[in-house]
Amino acid sequence: LRDEALGALEQARAEKTIGHPLDACVTIYDNEQKAASLEEIREVLEMVLIVSKVEIKVGERHIEVSKAPGAKCERCWKYNEHVGEHAEHSTICPRCIDAITK
């Protein structure tokens, strides 16, 4: 799965859809059983693939790469839809806010 996703990321870079893997949202389509298993490790997949977002959907097995939604976090460089929602820390994502406030 990792090799397949990395190939899709490289193709997206070549097509100028993304510039860097952290610019990406990787959508993995697979059968219902595998999709359920992948959903359980979705956050791990984001770290392994070094992308901003991984989505899991049911369908014929394939991988799509698109531009990640949201704004870029100044701390971790991941794109996140919630950057800017915190008044005190408006340029970082909720995960980074948790990290710096603990």
Side-chain angles (χ1 to χ4, degrees):
L1 180 64
R2 182 176 183 272
D3 289 341
E4 192 177 339
L6 292 177
L9 284 164
E10 195 55 45
Q11 182 177 351
R13 283 180 62 157
E15 295 171 352
K16 307 281 189 223
T17 303
I18 60 169
H20 184 277
L22 285 176
D23 298 343
C25 171
V26 173
T27 305
I28 303 170
Y29 291 83
D30 215 323
N31 67 49
E32 193 170 333
Q33 183 181 6
K34 287 184 182 174
S37 295
L38 290 171
E39 185 59 44
E40 292 177 12
I41 60 166
R42 187 184 50 73
E43 290 182 13
V44 173
L45 289 171
E46 289 175 359
M47 289 186 283
V48 169
L49 299 175
I50 312 169
V51 297
S52 288
K53 187 172 185 175
V54 170
E55 294 179 333
I56 310 297
K57 296 187 178 182
V58 176
E60 186 176 327
R61 183 173 167 76
H62 71 284
I63 296 177
E64 295 177 356
V65 175
S66 60
K67 180 96 170 96
K72 187 175 184 177
C73 172
E74 286 186 354
R75 184 172 180 269
C76 69
W77 294 10
K78 283 184 158 190
Y79 284 79
N80 187 295
E81 295 99 329
H82 302 290
V83 170
E85 291 180 358
H86 193 279
E88 251 183 272
H89 304 287
S90 63
T91 60
I92 60 176
C93 68
R95 183 174 162 259
C96 289
I97 291 169
D98 285 347
I100 66 168
T101 57
K102 286 187 178 180

